[in-house]
Every structure is written in C-alpha cells, then in structure tokens.
C-alpha cells in the first residue's frame, strides 16, 4: 500500500493537481506493481510565507 506525500507551494490549479496524481499513481503502479486502488497520495499546499530557501521567504521573491 504505497502512500505518497507531496508538498507544493500554493498556487497550482485543480487541473494541475489532477494531472499530478494521475501521473504519480501511474509511475508507482509501473515501478512497484501495486494496484491503483492501493495507491494513496496526500498533497499539502504550503503558503509561500511558510517556505524559505537561501535565507529568503518564497513570498518575498
């Protein structure tokens, strides 16, 4: 039972998320032999002010 957690900065559309979960699910099926029904995906949208890289908040870029 594969469980995948994906963290993204907020701003993706619902259609982009649909495409992402379809493609990730397919990759897991192909690489592990898991049934589609066994694959769970959790998407966490992170506000840009909650992520920083190189000392700069993503919201400040």
């Amino acid at each position: 039972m594969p469980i995948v957690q994906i963290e993204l900065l907020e701003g993706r559309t619902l259609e982009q998320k649909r495409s992402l979960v379809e493609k990730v699910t397919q990759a897991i099926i192909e690489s592990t032999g898991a049934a589609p029904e066994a694959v769970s995906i959790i998407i966490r949208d992170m506000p840009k002010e909650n992520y920083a890289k190189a000392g700069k908040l993503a919201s400040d870029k």
Side-chain angles (χ1 to χ4, degrees):
M1 181 172 133
I3 301 171
V4 178
Q5 295 185 45
I6 301 172
E7 297 196 32
L8 298 170
L9 292 177
E10 64 188 355
R12 285 6 181 256
T13 66
L14 185 55
E15 191 53 44
Q16 288 172 317
K17 292 177 188 179
R18 281 190 182 110
S19 177
L20 175 63
V21 298
E22 288 172 10
K23 291 175 181 179
V24 169
T25 299
Q26 190 59 41
I28 292 171
I29 291 166
E30 290 173 6
S31 62
T32 69
E37 300 78 24
V39 179
S40 297
I41 299 175
I42 300 165
I43 297 175
R44 297 173 197 239
D45 273 334
M46 184 184 336
K48 291 181 180 180
E49 64 266 15
N50 290 353
Y51 178 79
K53 185 172 182 179
K56 302 271 187 194
L57 290 173
S59 60
D60 291 340
K61 293 181 180 183

